[in-house]
Amino acid sequence: MSVAAPSLESGGHRITASLLAVSDVVAAILLAADLLVVCVSVLLRFLFNAPVEWADDVARGLMVGSSFFGAASALARAENLGVAFFIDMLPRDARRVVGSMGALLVTVIAFYVAFNAMKMGWLTTGQTSGSGLPLEWTFYPMGAGALFMTVFALEIFCTRSLRDIVAGILATGLIVAFYLAWDFLAPDSVPSSGTLMLIGFFITLFGGLPIGFALALAALIFIWVEGTLPGVIFAQQMARGIDNFVLLAIPFFILVGYLMEANGMSVRLIELLQRAVGRMRGGLNVVMVMSMVLFSGISGSKMADVAAVGSVLIPAARRSRQNPGGAVALLAASAVMAEAIPPCINLIILGFVANLSIGGLFVAGILPAGLMALALIVLSIILGKRPEPAAEAEPRAAVSGLWSGAIASFGLIFMIFFGFKTGFATATEISAFAVVYAIIVGSIVFRELTFKTAAHSFVQSATRSGLVLFIVAAAQSLAFVLTLQQVPHAVGDIMLSLSGSQGVWLFMLLSIAVLIVMGSVLEGAAALIIFGPLLMPVAVKLGIDPLHFGVVLVVAMGIGLFAPPLGLGLYGACLIGNVPIEQTIKPIMGYLGLLLLCLLVIAFVPSLSTALPRAFGY
């Protein structure tokens, strides 16, 4: 159920475009306020030994509000990705009806979230958190953001033709009427609420409904069919899914990536790498892999890294007469490798849901990422050739200016790892100071970061992180429903029985297969939130090191995320490179095959993942 629609920023939607501007401003201001709260809290604690007790509660509340306003802006700009592979096979008229149904469902889900978040705010009025802050301060901003989302979703639905609108309403109504009639006439034969939830989830997912809304709808189907759970539980679980100080590292690290691009640090770093190794055999491809390694050590968002690197190197590949499809395929494969490089947001999410040390996961991923990067570089050199000179000479910047960008980049990487090693600050606090560092370097050292570009970076970060955290919130609501049905316990028993008879190796292979498949079907964060807590306890019972297993899960998810034909990450890379996905399938399969071999080595040689954490005391 694809809800792809023109951006509501266009002049034909003046009221909604004005609301979008308000949504952007609110999301960015809340994010900036969050940054200020975290930085001031750390400085007061470190310099004056005066911790601010309410800082964590305020920061979490601000993040929830910023996430929902950011998610609303992402919806208005039609940035929500869904699985379009199957719906594209339908006839044109059928696609339009399914798309209209999807747009209607998004509107209904957004309104349900808004209504119940507001209701939850009203119900918690007078209650306070541990630090004494009112609980409704979390739910009212969440409800307001979801209300903006509802308006944008309704606008998207109403932009369709009257015929499609009527067809979407009738088709959705007929499905609901069919279920109600079946439940009234033969209630004993109606499938269980869990079965209906799974059916609804996969139909809407493969019908193109954005991932976050498909997850939320699955949880709502269970709640509606059961009829015993109040709607406020749904809103409460969505808020609980992102109401955690640890997850604040996600928008901050994403913001670092956008600031790097805005302050010119990324262009300088890539240009320096091109000067250093660009003229060797397979040089441009080597530069691409090395750029992804370095960028991923600074920014937590893989798609932000892909955009930053791809926007420079894909045009360079075209100018040097390389196959752009192969270049995009390598870019996507490098993003898979970069899933194990800290501070990847998927490592943060897995650490949060599986209760693992995030610093430990960061350190555990370094050697596996190095193995995959080395494999991609060696393959690039073997299969590559010396790049042909570009038709037109590019103006070349002074080497001294390029080195300043490299030094600034490595300074940021050093600050991140020094913070973890010394225990000076948590992952969230380190990410906040990384933002401050990027702002200072861009505005004072490079003098390229203006107030306007910095504000735009905050808006971009709030939108991108809102997109990610809305999926996290929706996945948490589904994980709650799965827990009610005792699915984790059942999965654990099945996995333990299989492994008991066949050995730990079978459990490891099954886990890899599950994460590759679900990483392809779902967005990466959702796959980890649902399956991480299911599989991690079983791995611990079988004696597998949790940090090692966590790295295996994240890399397997990354392979699925960029695997054709369903991988949403591959579609994103193709959009950034302006290359049809058909041109990337053959080369990406070769790269993914190599990465799968690396993953098997990582899985069955645990010391690759455990050596550094043990050396650093994790």
Side-chain angles (χ1 to χ4, degrees):
M1 297 178 181
S2 176
V3 293
S7 170
L8 298 182
E9 294 174 295
S10 59
H13 309 281
R14 292 181 180 176
I15 296 177
T16 315
S18 300
L19 288 177
L20 175 57
V22 172
S23 179
D24 285 343
V25 170
V26 172
I29 289 176
L30 291 176
L31 181 59
D34 235 338
L35 178 66
L36 181 64
V37 168
V38 173
C39 290
V40 170
S41 172
V42 174
L43 290 175
L44 288 175
R45 186 186 70 217
F46 183 74
L47 297 177
F48 304 104
N49 195 26
V52 182
E53 295 182 358
W54 48 262
D56 282 10
D57 288 341
V58 171
R60 296 201 317 267
L62 290 170
M63 180 181 65
V64 172
S66 177
S67 299
F68 274 84
F69 276 99
S73 294
L75 179 64
R77 293 188 173 92
E79 294 180 2
N80 301 71
L81 288 177
V83 179
F85 179 76
F86 296 102
I87 193 173
D88 287 342
M89 297 180 179
L90 297 175
R92 181 184 176 187
D93 288 343
R95 281 203 308 270
R96 291 168 61 179
V97 173
V98 172
S100 182
M101 293 173 64
L104 177 62
L105 288 175
V106 168
T107 305
V108 171
I109 295 166
F111 176 75
Y112 196 81
V113 173
F115 176 80
N116 284 289
M118 290 293 189
K119 186 176 180 180
M120 193 69 191
W122 176 72
L123 291 174
T124 56
T125 299
Q127 301 179 31
T128 59
S129 64
S131 63
L133 293 175
L135 287 180
E136 65 266 25
W137 285 11
T138 295
F139 293 103
Y140 282 135
M142 172 185 171
L147 190 60
F148 271 69
M149 197 183 303
T150 305
V151 174
F152 297 148
L154 183 62
E155 178 73 16
I156 290 172
F157 178 62
C158 292
T159 55
R160 299 174 182 273
S161 68
L162 180 61
R163 177 184 173 186
D164 291 342
I165 292 174
V166 172
I169 294 173
L170 288 177
T172 306
L174 285 173
I175 293 172
V176 174
F178 175 77
Y179 165 75
L180 293 175
W182 188 0
D183 186 53
F184 178 77
L185 296 174
D188 294 337
S189 63
V190 175
S192 67
S193 54
T195 302
L196 290 173
M197 177 187 73
L198 289 176
I199 292 172
F201 171 68
F202 284 107
I203 288 177
T204 54
L205 181 69
F206 294 139
L209 197 69
I211 301 294
F213 290 95
L215 291 166
L217 181 62
L220 286 176
I221 288 173
F222 179 87
I223 291 172
W224 289 336
V225 172
E226 281 289 304
T228 56
L229 293 174
V232 291
I233 292 294
F234 173 70
Q236 182 189 51
Q237 289 303 313
M238 288 196 76
R240 178 175 174 268
I242 56 175
D243 183 18
N244 192 287
F245 189 73
V246 170
L247 295 181
L248 250 178
I250 293 174
F252 288 161
F253 277 127
I254 291 175
L255 178 56
V256 170
Y258 282 117
L259 289 171
M260 270 184 57
E261 188 173 358
N263 66 22
M265 196 187 301
S266 60
V267 176
R268 287 178 173 86
L269 192 55
I270 293 173
E271 175 65 20
L272 184 64
L273 289 172
Q274 285 184 286
R275 299 265 188 105
V277 298
R279 301 305 304 169
M280 65 183 287
R281 182 184 178 93
L284 195 60
N285 288 345
V286 174
V287 170
M288 188 174 293
V289 177
M290 293 177 66
S291 297
M292 286 298 295
V293 170
L294 293 176
F295 276 61
S296 298
I298 300 172
S299 166
S301 170
K302 291 300 147 277
M303 291 314 297
D305 297 337
V306 167
V309 175
S311 62
V312 176
L313 293 182
I314 300 301
R318 286 191 169 95
R319 289 194 300 269
S320 60
R321 301 178 183 87
Q322 289 191 29
N323 175 17
V328 169
L330 179 60
L331 183 65
S334 300
V336 176
M337 168 273 301
E339 291 288 354
I341 297 178
C344 174
I345 60 175
N346 285 322
L347 290 173
I348 297 171
I349 289 171
L350 181 63
F352 165 62
V353 299
N355 197 27
L356 299 177
S357 165
I358 293 176
L361 277 174
F362 280 2
V363 176
I366 293 175
L367 290 181
L371 172 66
M372 291 184 286
L374 182 62
L376 290 173
I377 288 173
V378 170
L379 184 63
S380 296
I381 294 173
I382 292 173
L383 300 182
K385 56 184 180 180
R386 290 189 182 276
E388 299 180 22
E392 298 180 4
E394 292 286 317
R396 295 167 72 85
V399 174
S400 59
L402 301 181
W403 273 111
S404 67
I407 292 170
S409 301
F410 284 113
L412 187 52
I413 294 173
F414 173 78
M415 186 181 73
I416 292 171
F417 280 94
F418 178 78
F420 281 112
K421 181 65 180 70
T422 59
F424 164 74
T426 64
T428 297
E429 293 164 347
I430 292 169
S431 65
F433 280 97
V435 172
V436 175
Y437 177 92
I439 292 174
I440 292 174
V441 168
S443 57
I444 298 177
V445 179
F446 296 153
R447 297 182 180 180
E448 292 187 16
L449 188 67
T450 64
F451 177 81
K452 183 177 180 180
T453 54
H456 183 60
S457 295
F458 271 86
V459 170
Q460 286 181 301
S461 176
T463 301
R464 172 60 60 178
S465 58
L467 194 60
V468 173
L469 290 172
F470 181 78
I471 293 173
V472 172
Q476 169 58 37
S477 69
L478 181 59
F480 170 76
V481 168
L482 293 175
T483 302
L484 289 180
Q485 299 176 81
Q486 297 186 327
V487 172
H489 181 73
V491 170
D493 288 343
I494 293 172
M495 288 290 199
L496 283 173
S497 63
L498 287 173
S499 302
S501 59
Q502 300 295 329
V504 177
W505 64 270
L506 180 61
F507 169 75
M508 189 66 82
L509 290 177
L510 286 174
S511 299
I512 290 172
V514 167
L515 264 295
I516 288 177
V517 172
M518 299 314 297
S520 180
V521 171
L522 299 173
E523 196 275 346
L528 290 174
I529 290 170
I530 294 172
F531 290 95
L534 295 183
L535 299 175
M536 189 62 72
V538 182
V540 172
K541 287 182 180 179
L542 293 173
I544 301 173
D545 185 278
L547 296 179
H548 166 228
F549 189 64
V551 172
V552 171
L553 292 184
V554 169
V555 175
M557 176 278 304
I559 291 176
L561 185 62
F562 287 90
L566 301 179
L568 297 177
L570 182 59
Y571 283 94
C574 289
L575 287 173
I576 291 167
N578 195 24
V579 172
I581 192 172
E582 292 80 11
Q583 292 184 17
T584 66
I585 290 178
K586 184 177 179 180
I588 190 67
M589 292 306 294
Y591 289 127
L592 292 182
L594 176 64
L595 292 176
L596 181 59
L597 290 176
C598 292
L599 175 57
L600 294 176
V601 172
I602 295 166
F604 294 107
V605 184
S607 57
L608 276 172
S609 304
T610 58
L612 285 182
R614 288 172 181 168
F616 282 91
Y618 288 103

